[in-house]
Each structure stands twice: as structure tokens, then as C-alpha cells.
Amino acid sequence: MAQILIIDDHQSMREGLELLLRRRGHRTLSAENGSVGMELLAESGAELVITDLKMARMDGLEVLRAVRERHPGVEVLVITAYGTIETAVEAMKLGATDFLTKPFSSEEFGVKIDRLVQTMEERNRLRRENRSLRVENTLLREGLGSDERPRYGEIVGESTVMQEVFRRIDRVARSDSTVMIYGESGTGKELVARAIHAGSERRNGPFVRVNCGALSESLLDSELFGHEKGAFTGAERRRQGRFELANRGTLFLDEVATVAPQTQIRLLRVLQERELERVGGEETIPVDVRIIAATNQSPETLLRGSGFRDDLFYRLHVVPMALPPLRERRDDIPILAAHFVEKLRERTSSGATSVSAKALAYLESHSWPGNVRELENVVEQALVLAEGEVLQVADFPTLDAGTDAIGADAGTDLSHSGMDLTSVVEGVEERLLRKALAQARGVKAEAARLLGLKPSALYYKLEKYGIEA
């Protein structure tokens, strides 16, 4: 079944179409205008967009143009009460998949959707087979090693968005400017930082990484700036910090948005003055370090009441780089899966050497909230469980959190487990809440809409289970 985005400025029409689509087993998103619809499409993805033609601010033809430009693989069905031949021809010329005129019956709409989805599935099947064959031919070509796959350093990808990332790495690496990498967890921010370092004039210097989110404020101060003997309890000797260790090289500040306010002040001074003082020390030490920072928060979030200093933000946000989530580069899933099979099969003592077309289709249908890191973990699990040379759908773990929870509980013998209905339902509810928040990227209003809850009900449930967005 497909994920379908409905864009219409009439709430009753949106709700009616969502109901019809859900009855046919499809997942739905909806937006009251084209601008909100394009934001939802970028955040959550969809295989089909159904858009009204006549809307304020951004009409259906503008939506169609934007979808074709930014999401060329997404199909578009235009619906309008103004069903002239000229409008239909214009929409089809712009790339609309089909055209439907109001008023229409639920049966007519259902038939249209069934045909569209069937055509989409057949087209996607052919694309998957072609990609699978291309990857297989690449692997079987005589003398071809993993280093010759479409990649940049350890980053694997051949999609349009990743080719743009590779081009940007090339340009950024040639400078010595500070870089801020934005991307969801698991998108490969550290790999990009290492690639920038490897292509820079500092490539022969050290690459030093600090996970700012893994350390308390006092420990992070010591880790970054070093400390003198006796600076605090347990400081039995002088210790150089990561800035000093990265001298003439690159310092990668991962999860920089988690840095505490006082440490932000010290960090800002080092960036401005290119010198530091160790914790408990008075000596001023010059440092020559290139900074690459990374965060899973957006620039807007950092600047809007997040507790992150504006002056530090602008010191770091010199050259921004945004990494796409895996759901926006699904074309890369076959080649990533092949890469992870080759990378992990020796570690897992697996005899598997490839992934079946059906299994690739299964992987491509997942939303991947954990991105490339999640895909790697899933492939590793499959390699451990697989018995044949080709990974099949049955070798992969269940990827849907809600289905997984219900399926696992459904096989439980309640007479011996001591499990009651309340605990089962609450377990599933918590998993669905976490999944909705992940899909909504922490936006509570959107998570409430996905779950069909009022915002007040969502806030209550999040508090009940101790879930933080």
C-alpha cells in the first residue's frame, strides 16, 4: 500500500478522501494548502500527491511544478471542480499522472486510485529490478572491488541528492572554513566530517572527535580544553584537551547543540581568539584547528529558544551542510544494502552474498527513522539469521514498530505469562507514540495528527509514558 498526501483547502474534502484511502489500506497525510503540503512531503515523504487545483497562496499547478522539481519520483493526481480541457492539458504537460473532475463518486475515486497505485507498484518493481541488476552486475564485474562503487570515502550513494552532497564536500574541503552539518541521527554526519578532513589541506593532521552529548558539563570542559594537575578531585596530572590534540588538524564537535551554556562561552572564545586556557590553569595556549560541528536539530530550532547562543551559532554556521534522511534517498537502499552485506558478512560468519528483489522492496517501504545506521543494523541482523546465499524478506526483522509489538504479544501464552491486557495495550501505545514522534521529527502537533489525537490527549500520553519529543 502507498503513502498518500492530500492537499485541499476544504477540511471536509480532506477528511473524506483520507477516510476512503484508509479503507483501502493506504497511509495518509493531509495539508490545508500547498505550502504546508510541500513541507509535509519533504519531512514525511509520499508516493502519491492528490491536490486540489484552485487554492489560495499556492494553487495545484504550483504544487505540481514544485513536486516535479523537488520530488521527481512522486506521482500527482490533480482534482478540481474547474475541469476544462485546457486545464487538464496544462496539468498533464506539467507532469500530472492523472486528472479527476469534481463532483465524483467514492467508487470512481477508488477505481482511479487503484489504477494509479497498481501502475506505481509496477513501475517501482521495474525500477527495483533494474537497480538490483545494476548493483549485481557491479558486484560480479571482474576485478571490481567495493572501492569502485558510487561513493565518497566511506559514504555510499548514487542518488541525485547524494551526488549533490559529494559535490558540496569537494567544495567545502578546499577551504579552511568552519562547517556546520545538519542531519537526523544516523545520516552519516561523522562520515561527512571525515571526508571533508580527508580532502582538505589538513589531511595529514589529526582528526579528533568529541561527542558533546555523551559528557557532563564538567567532563566536557576537561575533554575539550584540558586541565591542570589538581584542578579538581581526581585530576592527578596535567592533561591536554581535544583542541590541543587536534592542533593543525580538524576537531569534530558532534551533537554540539547539547553543550551547556558556560561551556558555550568558553567554546566561543576559542573560536574567536584561537587560544584557550586549560581548566584550573592560567597559561594561554594558541591552537590552530579547523572546526566541523554537527547537530540533529535544524538551524531554526537552534536560534529559537533552544538555549544555544546566537553568537556561537553564527560562529559555527559559516558553511552549512544538510544531509538528507534515508527516506529521501530510497534509490540508494539497494546499493547500501549490498555494501553492508559485503562489509558485515565476514563478521557475522554469513554465507549470504546478496539481497532478493522482494527483500529490497520490503526495505524500501520502511520509513527508516534511524536512517542509514538503522539499515546497517537491520542488514546485520538478517545476515545473522539467514541460512541461504540470498537474503529474503523472512530473514529481516519486522520493521513496523506497532506491528512488531502486536505480533510479538499475539504469540504469548497469557495463561502462563502473567501478562494482562492493560500492559499489552500500553506497550503498543508507547511504541506507536514514539514512532509517530520520530516520523513527525519531534513536532507534537504533527504527531497528534498522525495518531488521530487531540494535542491535549497527546501531551497527556507523552507525560504518562515519560516520552520527550
Side-chain angles (χ1 to χ4, degrees):
M1 294 295 101
Q3 177 146 302
I4 301 175
L5 169 62
I6 302 161
I7 305 175
D8 198 300
D9 52 5
H10 291 91
Q11 183 177 354
S12 58
M13 175 61 75
R14 295 197 306 272
E15 292 176 349
L17 294 181
E18 282 199 281
L19 180 61
L20 291 172
L21 290 168
R22 287 175 180 172
R23 283 176 177 172
R24 303 182 101 80
H26 301 296
R27 304 179 302 279
T28 62
L29 303 166
S30 68
E32 65 273 17
N33 60 57
S35 299
V36 174
M38 292 309 299
E39 290 177 5
L40 267 179
L41 184 59
E43 291 177 359
S44 302
E47 296 151 86
L48 171 64
V49 172
I50 300 174
T51 180
D52 191 16
L53 190 62
K54 297 293 183 181
M55 296 183 293
R57 295 173 59 184
M58 187 177 189
D59 65 22
L61 293 181
E62 291 178 294
V63 169
L64 178 56
R65 291 188 187 97
V67 172
R68 285 287 155 265
E69 179 182 343
R70 304 174 204 170
H71 310 277
V74 176
E75 309 293 344
V76 180
L77 171 64
V78 174
I79 296 180
T80 181
Y82 303 82
T84 64
I85 296 297
E86 291 79 6
T87 306
V89 169
E90 184 179 1
M92 299 303 282
K93 282 183 177 179
L94 287 172
T97 311
D98 211 336
F99 191 91
L100 188 60
T101 305
K102 300 175 185 175
F104 50 83
S105 66
S106 58
E107 290 78 11
E108 182 183 1
F109 177 73
V111 169
K112 182 78 72 174
I113 290 297
D114 288 346
R115 287 177 180 171
L116 274 174
V117 171
Q118 184 178 0
T119 301
M120 287 160 47
E121 288 177 347
E122 178 64 18
R123 187 179 298 131
N124 289 337
R125 183 185 66 80
L126 292 173
R127 287 173 179 167
R128 286 192 298 268
E129 288 181 357
N130 288 338
R131 287 199 300 270
S132 181
L133 287 171
R134 191 163 63 246
V135 172
E136 185 177 349
N137 289 337
T138 298
L139 292 174
L140 293 176
R141 194 180 304 146
E142 183 176 359
L144 180 62
S146 60
D147 288 342
E148 296 179 62
R149 290 188 191 159
R151 64 192 300 162
Y152 195 115
E154 291 299 313
I155 314 166
V156 176
E158 60 180 359
S159 61
T160 302
V161 290
M162 288 309 295
Q163 294 305 310
E164 178 56 35
V165 168
F166 296 160
R167 285 191 289 271
R168 195 165 181 82
I169 290 173
D170 273 335
R171 294 194 294 271
V172 170
R174 290 195 292 267
S175 76
D176 203 38
S177 299
T178 301
V179 181
M180 186 72 144
I181 304 174
Y182 298 94
E184 296 177 11
S185 297
T187 50
K189 297 186 287 293
E190 183 177 347
L191 293 181
V192 169
R194 289 184 180 277
I196 292 171
H197 172 75
S200 73
E201 294 296 325
R202 296 176 178 266
R203 67 178 68 90
N204 294 323
F207 177 91
V208 178
R209 173 183 179 269
V210 181
N211 185 342
C212 301
L215 300 170
S216 66
E217 180 178 354
S218 58
L219 286 176
L220 182 59
D221 274 355
S222 174
E223 196 72 20
L224 288 174
F225 312 115
H227 62 254
E228 296 291 346
K229 181 180 179 180
F232 50 84
T233 303
E236 298 178 354
R237 60 183 178 84
R238 170 186 287 179
R239 184 188 180 199
Q240 287 186 324
R242 297 299 178 95
F243 269 99
E244 290 180 79
L245 295 175
N247 198 45
R248 300 188 182 279
T250 301
L251 179 63
F252 176 52
L253 301 175
D254 199 7
E255 297 187 43
V256 72
T258 63
V259 174
Q262 288 302 313
T263 305
Q264 289 183 40
I265 295 173
R266 298 192 67 177
L267 183 57
L268 179 64
R269 186 202 166 200
V270 177
L271 294 176
Q272 290 173 335
E273 308 296 335
R274 297 292 170 175
E275 60 185 26
L276 59 84
E277 293 174 0
R278 299 189 187 104
V279 176
E282 298 179 354
E283 179 187 2
T284 299
I285 303 167
V287 288
D288 175 18
V289 175
R290 183 187 192 174
I291 301 296
I292 301 178
T295 178
N296 57 16
Q297 297 189 28
S298 67
E300 295 77 17
T301 301
L302 289 179
L303 282 171
R304 192 174 56 235
S306 67
F308 200 78
R309 295 176 62 96
D310 289 1
D311 46 7
L312 178 57
F313 170 83
Y314 289 114
R315 280 285 175 181
L316 296 172
H317 187 85
V318 178
V319 180
M321 284 192 66
L323 301 188
L326 187 53
R327 62 181 174 275
E328 291 181 8
R329 46 178 293 219
R330 294 178 192 270
D331 287 357
D332 286 332
I333 290 178
I335 197 166
L336 281 166
H339 167 69
F340 291 137
V341 167
E342 182 172 316
K343 173 184 175 182
L344 300 169
R345 65 186 181 190
E346 183 176 344
R347 182 201 302 176
T348 57
S349 301
S350 175
T353 58
S354 62
V355 185
S356 71
K358 284 187 177 181
L360 287 176
Y362 174 65
L363 295 177
E364 287 187 335
S365 69
H366 184 47
S367 60
W368 298 108
N371 294 295
V372 179
R373 186 185 297 128
E374 182 187 1
L375 175 61
E376 181 175 7
N377 291 340
V378 165
V379 172
E380 184 170 1
Q381 286 181 264
L383 288 170
V384 171
L385 298 173
E387 296 181 355
E389 294 184 359
V390 179
L391 295 180
Q392 305 293 340
V393 173
D395 297 320
F396 288 92
T398 302
L399 296 178
D400 185 284
T403 303
D404 188 30
I406 295 169
D409 292 332
T412 302
D413 182 355
L414 297 178
S415 63
H416 298 291
S417 67
M419 184 186 299
D420 57 45
L421 179 62
T422 300
S423 63
V424 174
V425 172
E426 288 183 345
V428 174
E429 187 176 59
E430 181 179 355
R431 288 178 175 87
L432 290 175
L433 286 166
R434 293 184 184 279
K435 183 177 182 183
L437 277 172
Q439 185 172 332
R441 302 176 73 177
V443 180
K444 293 179 182 178
E446 172 60 9
R449 194 196 63 76
L450 291 172
L451 293 169
L453 295 173
K454 292 181 179 179
S456 58
L458 177 73
Y459 297 152
Y460 166 77
K461 291 179 183 294
L462 294 178
E463 184 176 356
K464 174 183 175 181
Y465 295 109
I467 300 172
E468 295 183 0

